[in-house]
Amino acid sequence: MRHRRRTGNEIKAALRDLRIRLALLNHQVGGKLALKDVDLDCLDVLARSGPLTPSALARQAGLHPATLTGILDRLERAGWIARDRAGADRRSVTIRALPDRGMEVFRLYQPMIGAMDDVLAGYTEAELDLIATFLRRSAEAGEKANDQLAQE
């Protein structure tokens, strides 16, 4: 039981350290591209989810819609996103990331992507499945904890 608790604490500490390292990496990438961390978050959501309405993007990025407006204005001016208006309802807008700019981001993250490929190469398929499940469940736990805090 003591070993299990100690190992659990080591895993939690490693996750905290990973969060810090990734935040530092994101800050470095953002600095090279003249983007704020929250700008990168929005671009990442768009890259993974595809075009979204502003309200859906705000929800997925965990942002207040009014805050998102300023972010979208900044990203559009810098050529990172486009706002596409629906033909019939000009008030309806979809946000999409511009693909040419995505390669700039990918190039800066490539050293980390390559390093992670090297790390993952040392695991069996069964171990990778276990790690993927652990990370998904950890993300779900984080989402639940965030929702609880937001309701307080």
Side-chain angles (χ1 to χ4, degrees), residues 7-70:
T7 303
N9 287 337
E10 288 175 11
I11 291 169
K12 292 172 199 171
L15 286 172
R16 287 192 307 270
D17 190 46
L18 177 60
R19 185 203 60 79
I20 291 168
R21 300 292 170 223
L22 291 176
L24 291 170
L25 177 62
N26 289 342
H27 191 71
Q28 289 288 332
V29 168
K32 302 253 184 231
L33 299 171
L35 293 172
K36 297 180 179 189
D37 292 352
V38 71
D39 299 342
L40 284 172
D41 291 344
C42 289
L43 290 172
D44 186 44
V45 169
L46 288 169
R48 289 186 293 130
S49 298
L52 295 169
T53 64
S55 59
L57 177 56
R59 196 170 35 259
Q60 288 189 36
L63 298 168
H64 189 278
T67 302
L68 183 64
T69 300

Side-chain angles (χ1 to χ4, degrees), residues 7 20 43 51 54 56 65 68 71 75 77 81 125 127 131 151:
T7 303
I20 291 168
L43 290 172
L68 183 64
I71 294 166
L75 289 172
R77 275 193 310 273
I81 62 151
E125 282 190 43
E127 289 170 328
I131 293 167
Q151 292 176 8

Side-chain angles (χ1 to χ4, degrees), residues 139-152:
E140 290 166 2
E143 182 178 18
K144 183 178 177 182
N146 186 54
D147 290 346
Q148 287 174 339
L149 278 176
Q151 292 176 8
E152 288 181 5

